[in-house]
Amino acid sequence: MKEVGQWSSADVCDWLSEEGMQEYVEALRQADGSALLRLSAQDFRGPPLSLVSSDSGRQLLERLETLRLAHHMHTHTHHHGNGHHGNGHALGNGTSKAHPHPHPHPHRHHNGLPKNGFHADQVHVKIPLPAPTPGPERFPAEWGKTGAAFLYAVCCFLTTSVVISVVHERVPPKELSPPLPDKFFDFFQRVEWAFSICEVNGMLLVALWLMQWMLLKHRSIVGRRFFFIVGTLYLYRCVTMYVTTLPVPGMHFRCSPKLSGRWEAQIHRIMKMIAGGGLTITGSHTMCGDYLYSGHTVMLTLTYLFIKEYSPKRFWVYHWVCWGLSAVGIFCILLAHDHYTVDVVVAYFITTRLFWWYHTLANQPVLKENSQGNLFARVWWFRMFQHFEHNVQGTVPKNYQLPLSWRALPWTRVKYSRLDSQ
């Protein structure tokens, strides 16, 4: 790697991204290595750095101290390596030859020593510098926490399936309670195959996100964020559809017969829905009542948000394709008349807000503290958030690497050669 003083502005941006401080990239886009080394605490008290820094630049300044030390050591080593000593010229064997003294008697020895008691030649003393002690890892994997978030999501999905079965028994017959008026249904006639398009788009987005997640370097942190957010969204969904049971959105619905307390049959129906992923195209979801709010909208929106958040901006074509899949899928939910418009609107609102709130808390160290001024600390899931994000220092970088099992394959191995530096 180049010495810090020779960095270009692009090198500075790459270093900031590698250190997980992407928030400074725009503000320091024109700064080269020398300008980076000159940054001080005073620079963070005014714009533009004060607008993007949440800790007055503390983390960045700490890393700059390490860069300054490395720069100083490199400059010092390079200075002496060229033979620029104070009293002589370097010879080929690494020794130095003193300049002739301008006075006629430069060396008056007394018992083999100079008169002043010092040696005539320079004496170089090597002072070993202590090795820097490695600090705590900024983005620890902590797969145990990821496993806990996964179990939390599974429990929320199971609870949702049970609640759907319970709510199904309370849905009024469509002959007695016809569908509620909906403005979208007034303008668009039902398209029978539209809901299949929605579910196909949802499966494509889930597959794309799964592949992208497997290639992320910090997949454990991102994974537990996804599991926690999707689990919480489905837990909220349990509450909304249980407290308010809406009639079916259309007369085309063919709901399964009510079981009237036959628990064994209900358990079998729940297991069938879980096995089929709760999808209509698999024939596993034949129950009614899970309208407020739309679970399909949750998955279409959430997968797109994670895909865009954890991929570089230069993948804009990929982002637009995923956005198109998400938008078309949500539109097809309404076009199929399988959800009321309010179901989709509420699902989109809750999904986006929870995603944005969680990542705002995770990216700002000051918001991770349970203080009087932090009103986010009053939300019920804040303790869980603190547990999952306590050791994550800064914004998670969008770095990619092959999974461990893939790196073991012979064609993915990279050969390295040892470089000895003097």
Side-chain angles (χ1 to χ4, degrees):
M1 186 176 181
K2 292 191 294 186
E3 198 271 327
V4 185
Q6 301 175 358
W7 283 4
S8 64
S9 57
D11 295 327
V12 171
C13 293
D14 292 341
W15 178 80
L16 289 171
S17 300
E18 290 173 1
E19 293 293 323
M21 293 180 286
Q22 294 94 333
E23 63 269 22
Y24 293 108
V25 170
E26 290 297 330
L28 298 175
R29 184 166 295 279
Q30 304 300 326
D32 57 7
S34 300
L36 183 67
L37 293 173
R38 290 195 299 269
L39 287 178
S40 64
Q42 184 66 29
D43 296 316
F44 291 87
R45 295 173 186 169
L49 293 179
S50 63
L51 301 177
V52 296
S53 174
S54 60
D55 59 350
S56 300
R58 180 178 56 82
Q59 292 188 17
L60 179 56
L61 290 173
E62 288 176 356
R63 283 161 181 77
L64 286 180
E65 285 299 323
T66 305
L67 287 182
R68 290 190 186 101
L69 177 61
H71 174 68
H72 176 74
M73 293 177 63
H74 179 273
T75 305
H76 185 73
T77 304
H78 182 72
H79 177 75
H80 286 284
N82 289 335
H84 299 293
H85 300 289
N87 294 332
H89 299 286
L91 298 179
N93 57 4
T95 61
S96 60
K97 179 179 179 181
H99 287 291
H101 201 280
H103 300 288
H105 302 286
H107 303 294
R108 294 183 179 179
H109 295 272
H110 178 70
N111 294 332
L113 292 175
K115 188 174 182 180
N116 58 5
F118 292 98
H119 290 282
D121 296 331
Q122 288 185 340
V123 177
H124 298 279
V125 179
K126 292 185 177 180
I127 303 176
L129 294 175
T133 56
E137 189 177 354
R138 299 189 63 229
F139 304 106
E142 299 179 308
W143 281 101
K145 293 182 180 180
T146 306
F150 175 75
L151 292 177
Y152 168 75
V154 170
C155 290
C156 292
F157 279 118
L158 292 176
T159 305
T160 303
S161 302
V162 174
V163 172
I164 291 175
S165 179
V166 173
V167 171
H168 174 77
E169 301 295 316
R170 294 166 41 190
V171 176
K174 57 187 176 183
E175 293 79 15
L176 298 179
S177 296
L180 299 175
D182 191 288
K183 208 64 182 174
F184 186 93
F185 299 167
D186 295 340
F187 288 103
F188 295 92
Q189 295 296 320
R190 176 177 179 262
V191 177
E192 186 176 354
W193 46 263
F195 202 70
S196 298
I197 299 297
C198 155
E199 294 191 330
V200 169
N201 285 10
M203 289 189 293
L204 286 174
L205 284 171
V206 170
L208 289 172
W209 166 237
L210 181 61
M211 289 188 291
Q212 180 180 329
W213 174 74
M214 291 178 65
L215 294 174
L216 286 170
K217 179 179 180 181
H218 304 290
R219 64 183 70 91
S220 60
I221 300 174
V222 178
R224 64 174 169 263
R225 290 179 177 180
F226 179 80
F227 294 139
F228 175 78
I229 292 176
V230 74
T232 303
L233 288 169
Y234 271 79
L235 191 61
Y236 284 157
R237 187 168 179 252
C238 292
V239 176
T240 56
M241 66 183 176
Y242 180 79
V243 298
T244 302
T245 303
L246 300 177
V248 294
M251 299 301 290
H252 62 280
F253 273 84
R254 300 289 183 267
C255 302
S256 298
K258 294 180 173 57
L259 299 176
S260 303
R262 288 180 289 167
W263 294 106
E264 291 184 0
Q266 283 191 346
I267 292 174
H268 179 268
R269 182 180 285 174
I270 291 171
M271 296 303 295
K272 179 183 176 182
M273 185 173 65
I274 294 173
L279 299 175
T280 303
I281 57 176
T282 60
S284 61
H285 193 354
T286 57
M287 291 183 283
C288 301
D290 57 331
Y291 302 127
L292 188 62
Y293 47 88
S294 167
H296 287 76
T297 303
V298 167
M299 294 306 299
L300 287 166
T301 305
L302 190 64
T303 48
Y304 165 71
L305 290 174
F306 269 93
I307 286 172
K308 187 174 186 298
E309 178 67 21
Y310 293 102
S311 56
K313 290 183 179 179
R314 64 179 180 273
F315 291 0
W316 59 271
V317 175
Y318 174 52
H319 296 163
W320 275 106
V321 169
C322 293
W323 181 88
L325 290 172
S326 177
V328 170
I330 293 173
F331 181 77
C332 284
I333 294 175
L334 297 174
L335 198 60
H337 292 197
D338 269 36
H339 273 283
Y340 293 106
T341 306
V342 68
D343 303 344
V344 173
V345 172
V346 172
Y348 174 81
F349 183 86
I350 295 179
T351 303
T352 53
R353 268 58 189 177
L354 183 58
F355 178 88
W356 293 334
W357 290 343
Y358 188 98
H359 283 80
T360 299
L361 291 171
N363 294 339
Q364 304 296 330
V366 68
L367 296 180
K368 294 182 181 180
E369 303 298 329
N370 190 358
S371 60
Q372 264 189 334
N374 183 14
L375 300 183
F376 285 109
R378 301 180 186 180
V379 71
W380 67 269
W381 46 262
F382 188 76
R383 295 291 183 186
M384 297 174 63
F385 162 79
Q386 281 187 313
H387 174 69
F388 290 141
E389 301 290 337
H390 177 71
N391 296 324
V392 180
Q393 307 297 323
T395 304
V396 176
K398 303 168 186 177
N399 296 339
Y400 291 84
Q401 68 179 19
L402 290 176
L404 184 61
S405 58
W406 296 2
R407 281 180 279 170
L409 298 176
W411 57 82
T412 61
R413 293 176 184 171
V414 180
K415 294 183 179 180
Y416 296 92
S417 59
R418 182 177 177 180
L419 178 63
D420 295 324
S421 58
Q422 300 295 333

